[in-house]
Amino acid sequence: MIHVLAFYLFAILVVCSGALTILSRNPVHSVLWLILAFFNAAGLMILIGAEFIAMLLVIVYVGAVAVLFLFVVMMLDIDFAELRAGFVSYLPFGLLIALVLLAEIILGIGLWSAGPIELAQRAAPTDPNISNIKAVGMLLYTRYIFLFEAAGLVLLVAMIGAIVLTHRARGGVKGQNIAKQNRRRPQDAVRNINQPTGQGVEL
């Protein structure tokens, strides 16, 4: 009974937070609602025993992607009034995408009602004593290690691109010259003065 209540709780929160992500006028609030949707989706994954996917949702999507969205929205100077002004011009394209997504949802519901897909013949045999996180880790860091490293390089390039796009040259800021600091000698920074007793120091 508790599993059913938890499922409906997580499912309702996912649907509501997803709708508020789209309908929110403030982009920062949209990102916060998206984070709530990710957390509740992770709860649904835990209910079906997919704790690895739940961990990915929390660590990768909430801890990296959603926070990145939040920082980009807060850092970029976006004129949202101008964006809303062009809403009517993009309305036909948006309706087309909505119809395509609706058709995919109807197709998915139809396939689900037709019966489950037999995956026992396609799935690789695994030891029942090993958790799915350990099984995925063993496969990821052995057979797919080069693809894993390639994905890391792609993310590194994306991070550098984001830094380059958001970096602004600001005026009136005193920069740091590392080469000049390394060339500085002690005698250039310190001046020894034989000051007589009872007299002040002239600067």
Side-chain angles (χ1 to χ4, degrees):
M1 184 64 181
I2 186 65
H3 293 83
V4 177
L5 293 176
F7 169 76
Y8 281 110
L9 175 64
F10 288 138
I12 291 172
L13 288 176
V14 165
V15 173
C16 292
S17 55
L20 289 172
T21 301
I22 301 171
L23 299 176
S24 240
R25 293 182 178 273
N26 192 328
V28 177
H29 295 168
S30 296
V31 176
L32 295 177
W33 285 117
L34 182 63
I35 292 174
L36 181 61
F38 283 148
F39 270 114
N40 289 282
L44 290 175
M45 294 299 108
I46 291 176
L47 288 178
I48 63 175
E51 64 271 12
F52 179 72
I53 300 179
M55 182 181 66
L56 286 182
L57 281 172
V58 174
I59 295 177
V60 177
Y61 285 94
V62 175
V65 177
V67 174
L68 178 63
F69 287 167
L70 187 61
F71 274 103
V72 168
V73 167
M74 294 174 67
M75 288 176 63
L76 295 181
D77 188 13
I78 302 175
D79 189 1
F80 293 100
E82 183 180 352
L83 291 178
R84 294 192 189 98
F87 175 76
V88 179
S89 60
Y90 293 108
L91 185 59
F93 185 67
L95 290 176
L96 178 62
I97 295 178
L99 290 176
V100 171
L101 293 176
L102 181 61
E104 289 181 352
I105 293 174
I106 294 174
L107 179 62
I109 294 174
L111 292 176
W112 176 76
S113 60
I117 301 174
E118 296 294 336
L119 297 177
Q121 306 298 329
R122 305 179 186 178
T126 56
D127 189 355
N129 297 323
I130 298 178
S131 63
N132 58 354
I133 296 180
K134 187 174 181 180
V136 170
M138 291 171 60
L139 187 64
L140 186 64
Y141 292 109
T142 54
R143 181 180 298 180
Y144 300 107
I145 181 64
F146 294 110
L147 295 176
F148 182 77
E149 295 294 337
L153 290 176
V154 171
L155 292 175
L156 177 63
V157 172
M159 181 184 69
I160 295 174
I163 294 173
V164 171
L165 290 175
T166 57
H167 180 71
R168 296 188 183 92
R170 294 178 296 176
V173 178
K174 188 175 182 180
Q176 186 177 12
N177 192 338
I178 304 298
K180 184 178 179 181
Q181 291 178 352
N182 290 332
R183 291 194 305 266
R184 190 176 186 183
R185 300 173 301 172
Q187 53 267 31
D188 297 335
V190 179
R191 185 175 62 174
N192 295 325
I193 299 177
N194 189 9
Q195 184 70 21
T197 306
Q199 298 183 10
V201 179
E202 295 180 2
L203 299 179

